[in-house]
Amino acid sequence: MKIAENKTPADKRIGIIGKGGSGKSTVTVLLAEVLRDRGYDVCVLDADSTNIGIHQALGLDKLPTSLMDYFGGTVFSGGLVTCPVDDPTPLPGADIFLDELPSKYYAQSQGGIFFLVAGKIGNKGPGAGCDGPISKITRDLKILGIGDYPVTLVDLKAGLEDPARGVITSLDWAIVVVDPTNASIQIAVDIKNMVEQIKAGKLPSTKYLENPKLVEMANKIFIEAKIKDVLVILNKVKDKEMENYIKIKLKKGGIEPLGAIYEDSSISLSWLKGNPIESDRAKINAEKLIKKLEKNLRKANLNLSA
Ligand SMILES: Nc1ncnc2c1ncn2[C@@H]1O[C@H](COP(=O)(O)OP(=O)(O)O)[C@@H](O)[C@H]1O
Ligand SMILES: [Mg+2]
């Protein structure tokens, strides 16, 4: 029997944002595993249109068929999924009960983490078009029926493009991963400013849209954005001195990070070999981060009553 929709708790969506190579996928895997260990029902959405490998870091050997195929392909190849910038209209059929989704479209890690892929452009041939349609799936997809304490971690593609296309509006929290570079610190400040502007009611750019209905739709999506806060996690930190330096820089931008994951050569070796991430040190770092993150989850009524 299908579970009544109103009895299925809405998942909390946490998007992982950051510069290319900052460690978004690494942080996603570490957070997913710690959340799972703490009793949450965890789903990871691989929303990076380009890079592959997070499935292996989660211990899965096969990439599931992408949701882009499930939804019928991009508009550029004659399919149904449009770019959210040209066409902000919500993706039809984006609320999916996991038990109704054919099993080729998802995988489950040994530890029970569900894994789905929004789409990849790598196998779409020359001139495949822009990856906006993948952002639309990322923005609109809602997997229902994962469990009683559902959390979806969305591993976004590098940089600011996904948030700028509106993906940020369907996240409850954005986590920015900051590696020890100036560029990463700037991205954290930019995302924080973007979210403050959305919360203050600033509307998206729609000057290029000719149809007033589409303008209205784009505005509605931003007005109804559910984003609550931007959190920052430092990654690849080498020592305390470096950690303090980044913290001082972030403080100038009004940001206090949740905490740090230190550099660990076993993590880079896992990515090189395509093996699951197994770093006790990083796990301990990640547990501390989750305890702080849980304060936010609790405020949003998603606590595991201890
Ligand atoms: N804490 C860490 N310690 C050591 N190496 C790391 C750490 N986090 C990430 N890496 C290295 O950085 C590379 C990029 O990390 P990844 O998580 O794939 O970044 P992103 O998803 O942001 O592109 C990985 O291949 C890995 O070698
Ligand atoms: Mg990645």
Side-chain angles (χ1 to χ4, degrees), residues 84-90 139 204 206 208-221:
V85 179
D86 304 330
D87 171 21
T89 318
R139 188 193 71 182
T206 49
Y208 61 98
L209 289 175
E210 284 168 15
N211 182 342
K213 284 226 166 84
L214 291 184
V215 175
E216 205 181 303
M217 180 61 71
N219 289 341
K220 183 173 183 278
I221 283 166

Side-chain angles (χ1 to χ4, degrees), residues 13-19 22-32 35 43-45 47-48 54 138 151-159 162-163 167-168 171 173-178 187 191 227 231-233 235 261 290 293:
R13 282 166 67 88
I14 304 175
I16 320 295
I17 299 174
K19 186 175 79 60
S22 59
K24 295 176 293 299
S25 302
T26 303
V27 168
T28 303
V29 171
L30 290 168
L31 295 184
L35 282 166
C43 181
V44 168
L45 175 64
D48 185 334
I54 188 174
T138 307
V151 180
T152 298
L153 295 174
V154 188
D155 182 24
L156 294 166
K157 82 163 183 176
D162 261 349
V167 170
I168 198 136
L171 301 175
W173 293 279
I175 290 184
V176 186
V177 178
V178 169
I187 287 184
I191 293 285
I227 181 92
L231 307 167
V232 169
I233 292 177
N235 185 39
I261 293 168
I290 290 293
L293 183 66

Side-chain angles (χ1 to χ4, degrees), residues 121-259:
I121 50 173
N123 61 358
K124 298 296 175 206
C130 90
D131 62 356
I134 298 171
S135 302
K136 182 175 273 193
I137 293 175
T138 307
R139 188 193 71 182
D140 292 354
L141 181 79
K142 213 185 284 162
I143 296 292
L144 301 162
I146 309 171
D148 291 336
Y149 300 100
V151 180
T152 298
L153 295 174
V154 188
D155 182 24
L156 294 166
K157 82 163 183 176
L160 290 159
E161 201 170 8
D162 261 349
R165 282 176 176 151
V167 170
I168 198 136
T169 60
S170 66
L171 301 175
D172 291 281
W173 293 279
I175 290 184
V176 186
V177 178
V178 169
D179 69 0
T181 63
N182 229 337
S184 265
I185 293 167
Q186 189 57 46
I187 287 184
V189 173
D190 288 343
I191 293 285
K192 181 175 173 275
N193 291 339
M194 184 191 285
V195 168
E196 276 171 6
Q197 288 181 31
I198 291 172
K199 282 180 159 179
K202 183 144 196 272
L203 298 173
S205 318
T206 49
K207 289 244 159 54
Y208 61 98
L209 289 175
E210 284 168 15
N211 182 342
K213 284 226 166 84
L214 291 184
V215 175
E216 205 181 303
M217 180 61 71
N219 289 341
K220 183 173 183 278
I221 283 166
F222 278 79
I223 290 165
E224 292 176 356
K226 58 179 194 163
I227 181 92
K228 296 175 180 66
D229 208 354
V230 178
L231 307 167
V232 169
I233 292 177
L234 313 186
N235 185 39
K236 301 193 191 181
V237 176
K238 286 188 201 290
D239 52 38
K240 208 69 200 162
E241 192 185 341
M242 188 180 260
E243 184 177 346
N244 287 338
Y245 183 86
I246 304 169
K247 280 186 176 165
I248 290 166
K249 283 275 212 174
L250 286 170
K251 204 170 182 185
K252 284 186 187 148
I255 296 169
E256 195 188 329
L258 276 184

